[in-house]
Amino acid sequence: MGGEVPEPRRLSRALSFGCGGVPEEALHLVFGYMDDPRDREAASLVCRLWHRIDALSRKHVTVGFCYAVEPARLLARFPRLESLALKGRPRAAMYGLIPEDFGAYAAPWVAELAAPLDCLKALHLRRMTVTDEDIAVLVRARGHMLQVLKLDKCSGFSTDALCLVARSCRSLRTLFLEECIIEDEGSEWLHELAVNNSVLVTLNFYMTELKVEPADLELLAKNCKSLISLKMGDCDLSDLIGFFQTSKALQEFAGGAFFEVGEYTKYEKVIFPPRLCFLGGLTFMGKNEMPVIFPYSTMLKKLDLQFTFLTTEDHCQLIAKCPNLSVLEVRNVIGDRGLEVVAATCKKLRRLRIERGDDDPGQEEQGGVSQIGLTAVAVGCRELEYIAAYVSDITNGALESIGTFCKNLYDFRLVLLDKQKKITDLPLDNGVRALLRNCVKLRRFAFYLRPGGLSDVGLGYIGLYSGNIQYMLLGNVGESDNGLIQFATGCTNLRKLELRGCCFSERALAVAVLQMPSLRYIWVQGYRASRTGQDLMLMARPYWNIEFAPPIPESAYRVMADGQPCVDTHAQVLAYYSLAGRRPDCPQWLVTLHPASL
Amino acid sequence: MDLLERNIKTETEETRKEQERKEEEAEAEAEAGERKTQEPPQQGQGLSLSLANGSGRSGMLPMSNVSANPSQLTIFYGGSVCVYDSVPPEKAQAIMLIAAAAAAAAATKSSAAPTVKPPMVPAATVAPAAVVSPVLTRSPSLQSTSVATGQPQVVAEPSSICKLQADLPIARRHSLQRFLEKRRDRVVSKAPYSTAKSSDGMESPRIEVTAEGKAQ
């Protein structure tokens, strides 16, 4: 009798411990430290409990393509989101290659999610079609809670919607409208923002063509002591003197213009705020206006000179005074000589973007950027994480130098311009191999050449050494279908692929898609297209949408987002994983390929 | 003996050509007037013609053995007609190429100086018979036609290259495109920029000097 009593107690304790394992509260805490979406994804597959805890504790989701999932499904899966990012039109829309009526409407998302997502504070839409009504729905549902609104390269709305945002979203800290196409119904929206908001930190309507009143900017600076970043359109810099005097905390400024070129006396009174470390815009700034920023040059960490009137020599003179630059954006008028100055001066440079100009006045005779400048920068700026360059000439050696010296490179994009007939060193097979083998941190890679720029062997190297690259854009690469197959065989981690101007057949594209296990999105233009896209059906599989834009006769008229004619009539293929099935809002010119349609 | 005769004949032909050209240059009008008749004005030419005929006939037998398939060469030049026997195809082709080059040069000259009258275009054809017919007088136009045909071919290549490049142009971002358009408008309309541009122009010699300095 006495011996039996201890046994029941032991059993009781074991049972009580066995009922749940780690408490739910503890799991919540652990999940809170998991930030990487892929780690989250893996953890949610462990068991139902972990799946539910992930769902309840997930704060941010990025939907890489707005047609990949339905809004209702996202809501059911992650009901407590605080931040949501959505991407719409293919990236090619930035270059005028996607017609405006492609779709990517924000309406279904706003209608479905704005009200039910009780915790939503931040919304980021990129390359989507957003209407005034969409913004009205959003404001009515979340106006009081919204802290971050980013409309990035969106189109379809007007300043009337911005007025509504300004009046109703008093907690807004970030309003980001960069490169949006906005119907300008007047500048009242900025006045409303200045009057109603007192916590704004970032305001960005850079490259939007919106006109504003300097007095409203001064009012904004007076009421929002926290304003750190302002990026705006072209407004004469002499009209911003009052704003600069008022905004003591400002660290980033982009925009403004020097409309009265040649009259330096007008601009010498411009005094930037004392903490300024980012300058951009400065449209039409030339040699005579450059001294305006000399007093701040040693403090500058970011400099954007894409819209200036500087010659190669001017670039050399200015950059030699900026030893602390982390970010530099220029046009190729900087030339190789300018890049040599960058290499000698900017030892902390992390991001470098060299855009393509257009026969700039003041560009040196040989013009543009080549392997000389790239090599100098690779050797001199070894902290570089991002390089995007339009070059006139290139060699394998330059790419090898980048591989040798830029170990931290995370994002590399190269475009070989087509004006110069003779390129020093093609194909670039060995150079690209060296770069990819050595830059092991690379996640994004773009390589846009010309026919003959990369052989099938080189394309095979890209696949073989793709490592952890998740996004690629390849233009005019390879010689045959075999090259594409070799490439695809090596790409184990590639998730998103864009191809342009290549010679591959539909069959090869289909085979390649099936060979890349991580691929979830592919956009192709300039391939050996058939009239109906029938061989693309070879890539059909569950949850895989295939959309085909047939070649367009020259007579057809289509417009881009900003009203200009679509410059491109070549066939396009867009294929992607989707839980939502076929798009309900396909435009007439887009054919959805489906096994049932055979 | 046959080889020697051929060499002599070749030299004779070349000498005759040079003489004819010089005569034409010196006395164009007189020469044209004189040579309206088919009879050669000089005994020398008569002698050379007969010699050619004689040597040709004597050489026919050994040439046929070599199987070079020689034939008659008829040259129309400066209003006169010259007929040559037993001319190898290679030599005939070479002569025609030289004539075509001369014709092209003449065409260039005429285009350079339109007021100057263009000289007669030499026409060289391999004819099976020595019969003079009106059809042969159209050879000059055929020559000029072939020359004209050559020119478009040269021009066609760059145009096709441009077309290939234009098929899929490297696209440009909207924002940069808009800036470049504004810049063009500004360059065209604004006087102050031209002032700045001229100052840039003045600056370029300095740049060159600097470059030279670096080179040194």
Side-chain angles (χ1 to χ4, degrees):
Chain A
M1 290 297 291
E4 290 180 357
V5 170
E7 288 182 359
R9 289 178 181 175
R10 289 176 191 158
L11 288 174
S12 171
R13 288 174 184 173
L15 285 174
S16 70
F17 275 109
C19 73
V22 183
E24 228 174 269
E25 292 76 11
L27 277 179
H28 266 278
L29 287 177
V30 171
F31 271 63
Y33 287 98
M34 267 193 255
D35 293 322
D36 193 318
R38 281 164 296 172
D39 293 337
R40 283 293 189 132
E41 183 182 332
S44 69
L45 297 174
V46 167
C47 64
R48 289 184 188 276
L49 178 61
W50 284 39
H51 184 276
R52 184 160 58 86
I53 293 178
D54 172 48
L56 295 177
S57 61
R58 188 82 76 105
K59 295 191 196 303
H60 172 77
V61 160
T62 295
V63 177
F65 186 47
C66 63
Y67 290 112
V69 66
E70 286 162 328
R73 188 154 186 165
L74 181 71
L75 173 62
R77 177 78 175 85
F78 301 115
R80 295 189 186 175
L81 285 180
E82 294 179 9
S83 168
L84 173 64
L86 283 167
K87 297 183 186 178
R89 288 186 285 272
R91 212 181 58 92
M94 291 170 56
Y95 300 90
L97 305 179
I98 307 290
E100 166 66 3
D101 59 344
F102 168 85
Y105 303 109
W109 292 88
V110 173
E112 190 93 34
L113 299 179
L117 285 178
D118 293 329
C119 306
L120 193 68
K121 300 181 220 168
L123 182 63
H124 182 179
L125 307 180
R126 180 183 290 184
R127 295 193 293 264
M128 294 190 79
T129 302
V130 186
T131 66
D132 285 358
E133 180 57 27
D134 300 333
I135 294 177
V137 170
L138 176 69
V139 165
R140 280 198 295 269
R142 309 229 51 78
H144 58 294
M145 286 275 296
L146 210 56
Q147 293 179 14
V148 176
L149 179 59
K150 291 187 178 181
L151 303 177
D152 186 359
K153 307 180 186 65
C154 294
S155 61
F157 61 100
S158 74
T159 48
D160 289 342
L162 298 183
C163 272
L164 190 57
V165 168
R167 284 193 215 101
S168 307
C169 303
R170 295 166 183 247
S171 303
L172 204 63
R173 297 177 189 170
T174 297
L175 180 57
F176 183 105
L177 305 167
E178 185 163 320
E179 286 197 67
C180 284
I181 299 169
I182 306 170
E183 198 77 27
D184 194 345
E185 307 288 347
S187 63
E188 189 188 351
W189 68 275
L190 185 61
H191 182 76
E192 293 288 335
L193 189 64
V195 166
N196 293 291
N197 191 304
S198 59
V199 296
L200 200 67
V201 173
T202 297
L203 175 59
N204 183 332
F205 52 103
Y206 198 34
M207 309 181 207
T208 60
E209 312 288 322
L210 291 183
K211 306 299 180 192
V212 295
E213 295 292 330
D216 291 331
L217 286 173
E218 289 185 45
L219 184 60
L220 184 75
K222 190 167 71 169
N223 290 345
C224 298
K225 304 297 185 190
S226 53
L227 190 68
I228 289 178
S229 175
L230 173 69
K231 301 181 184 178
M232 58 181 291
D234 296 347
C235 172
D236 197 85
L237 215 57
S238 61
D239 294 333
L240 298 175
I241 293 175
F243 167 77
F244 290 140
Q245 286 172 356
T246 311
S247 53
K248 300 298 183 185
L250 201 74
Q251 296 176 22
E252 300 184 350
F253 175 77
F258 295 87
F259 287 131
E260 310 296 334
V261 170
E263 299 183 21
Y264 175 72
T265 54
K266 181 177 181 181
Y267 297 109
E268 68 186 3
K269 296 170 187 168
V270 174
I271 301 175
F272 292 111
R275 298 189 200 171
L276 195 76
C277 62
F278 171 49
L279 259 181
L282 307 172
T283 304
F284 304 141
M285 179 175 78
K287 179 183 178 61
N288 293 332
E289 295 77 44
M290 246 189 345
V292 166
I293 64 180
F294 283 169
Y296 313 91
S297 51
T298 54
M299 295 181 292
L300 289 178
K301 293 196 173 83
K302 300 179 189 176
L303 189 57
D304 178 355
L305 303 172
Q306 293 181 84
F307 305 119
T308 60
F309 267 2
L310 303 177
T311 65
T312 301
E313 178 60 29
D314 299 335
H315 277 87
C316 294
Q317 188 181 351
L318 175 54
I319 291 167
K321 299 175 183 292
C322 302
N324 289 304
L325 285 183
S326 279
V327 180
L328 177 63
E329 298 184 49
V330 291
R331 293 195 315 281
N332 55 358
V333 63
I334 189 175
D336 287 330
R337 207 154 61 80
L339 289 183
E340 283 165 354
V341 175
V342 171
T345 307
C346 309
K347 296 302 177 179
K348 305 175 185 175
L349 198 66
R350 292 183 186 277
R351 293 176 66 92
L352 173 64
R353 179 167 193 88
I354 306 167
E355 270 289 354
R356 170 171 71 128
D358 188 34
D359 293 332
D360 282 77
Q363 183 163 314
E364 293 189 333
E365 187 170 336
Q366 283 307 312
V369 164
S370 73
Q371 65 272 8
I372 297 170
L374 277 193
T375 302
V377 161
V379 174
C381 308
R382 304 189 183 190
E383 303 300 325
L384 276 167
E385 297 167 2
Y386 173 100
I387 298 174
Y390 285 78
V391 299
S392 306
D393 197 358
I394 190 65
T395 59
N396 285 279
L399 299 179
E400 286 159 13
S401 295
I402 293 171
T404 301
F405 296 108
C406 296
K407 298 296 190 182
N408 288 327
L409 206 55
Y410 178 92
D411 189 329
F412 178 77
R413 306 173 192 229
L414 184 88
V415 177
L416 176 58
L417 294 168
D418 48 12
K419 277 190 177 179
Q420 188 163 309
K421 293 295 180 287
K422 175 64 180 175
I423 300 301
T424 300
D425 193 11
L426 292 184
L428 298 169
D429 298 356
N430 292 328
V432 75
R433 175 176 66 166
L435 190 148
L436 294 178
R437 284 170 69 173
N438 289 306
C439 297
V440 294
K441 297 183 180 179
L442 213 56
R443 292 291 179 274
R444 298 193 197 99
F445 179 73
F447 214 49
Y448 196 108
L449 305 177
R450 59 175 67 179
L454 194 77
S455 74
D456 279 350
V457 172
L459 195 49
Y461 289 154
I462 293 182
L464 183 61
Y465 298 108
S466 61
N468 290 315
I469 295 176
Q470 293 169 31
Y471 164 80
M472 278 197 201
L473 161 65
L474 300 172
N476 293 302
V477 295
E479 300 160 305
S480 68
D481 284 352
N482 186 47
L484 181 61
I485 304 301
Q486 286 183 60
F487 163 80
T489 302
C491 288
T492 54
N493 290 307
L494 190 65
R495 295 161 72 94
K496 188 169 179 177
L497 174 62
E498 296 175 348
L499 291 170
R500 190 163 190 254
C502 299
C503 57
F504 311 127
S505 67
E506 286 174 353
R507 168 175 287 271
L509 290 169
V511 173
V513 162
L514 297 177
Q515 291 229 45
M516 296 184 269
S518 301
L519 192 78
R520 54 188 61 198
Y521 176 104
I522 182 170
W523 174 85
V524 188
Q525 184 190 54
Y527 62 103
R528 296 205 325 258
S530 66
R531 218 166 35 81
T532 59
Q534 55 199 8
D535 275 348
L536 296 169
M537 289 305 303
L538 295 172
M539 66 166 85
R541 54 188 174 179
Y543 303 106
W544 184 253
N545 285 359
I546 309 169
E547 292 163 9
F548 174 64
I552 306 295
E554 295 292 335
S555 57
Y557 180 79
R558 287 155 56 191
V559 294
M560 300 182 318
D562 57 6
Q564 299 182 14
C566 193
V567 300
D568 212 282
T569 57
H570 289 261
Q572 296 185 27
V573 177
L574 179 61
Y576 54 94
Y577 270 126
S578 174
L579 297 174
R582 282 200 276 183
R583 286 178 51 182
D585 56 6
C586 259
Q588 194 174 0
W589 50 268
L590 199 61
V591 180
T592 59
L593 301 179
H594 202 259
S597 63
L598 282 177
Chain B
M1 288 299 295
D2 290 340
L3 289 175
L4 286 175
E5 288 178 355
R6 286 181 211 150
N7 288 335
I8 292 170
K9 188 165 64 174
T10 303
E11 290 175 359
T12 306
E13 292 171 11
E14 291 177 358
T15 306
R16 189 176 298 116
K17 269 191 173 181
E18 290 176 0
Q19 288 178 355
E20 289 173 351
R21 289 177 185 173
K22 289 180 180 178
E23 289 173 358
E24 188 199 17
E25 290 176 1
E27 305 171 357
E29 293 182 358
E31 189 173 350
E34 287 179 0
R35 295 193 175 185
K36 286 181 179 178
T37 63
Q38 294 182 358
E39 295 177 357
Q42 297 180 5
Q43 293 180 358
Q45 288 189 359
L47 287 174
S48 65
L49 280 175
S50 65
L51 281 176
N53 288 336
S55 65
R57 288 172 183 174
S58 64
M60 282 286 287
L61 295 176
M63 290 291 287
S64 64
N65 289 341
V66 178
S67 73
N69 192 19
S71 184
Q72 276 188 343
L73 173 66
T74 305
I75 300 179
F76 298 81
Y77 188 81
S80 67
V81 179
C82 305
V83 181
Y84 305 94
D85 291 328
S86 305
V87 177
E90 297 81 11
K91 285 192 180 295
Q93 187 179 16
I95 292 169
M96 285 187 280
L97 288 175
I98 294 171
T108 305
K109 261 189 173 181
S110 66
S111 65
T115 56
V116 177
K117 291 182 179 180
M120 293 288 291
V121 176
T125 59
V126 179
V131 178
V132 177
S133 70
V135 178
L136 293 177
T137 58
R138 296 177 184 176
S139 299
S141 64
L142 289 175
Q143 281 287 334
S144 60
T145 302
S146 71
V147 171
T149 304
Q151 291 174 356
Q153 289 174 2
V154 174
V155 176
E157 285 186 5
S159 72
S160 66
I161 292 173
C162 295
K163 194 173 183 182
L164 287 174
Q165 289 177 346
D167 271 0
L168 270 181
I170 296 178
R172 207 197 306 266
R173 284 169 52 208
H174 287 306
S175 52
L176 195 57
Q177 187 70 37
R178 283 197 297 266
F179 164 75
L180 293 172
E181 286 167 1
K182 284 192 284 185
R183 189 188 68 174
R184 286 190 209 104
D185 295 342
R186 188 178 174 85
V187 168
V188 169
S189 64
K190 294 276 183 173
Y193 182 71
S194 62
T195 304
K197 193 172 184 181
S198 66
S199 72
D200 285 346
M202 293 181 66
E203 193 177 355
S204 62
R206 296 179 182 176
I207 295 175
E208 290 174 0
V209 170
T210 305
E212 289 173 2
K214 285 187 175 179
Q216 292 173 358

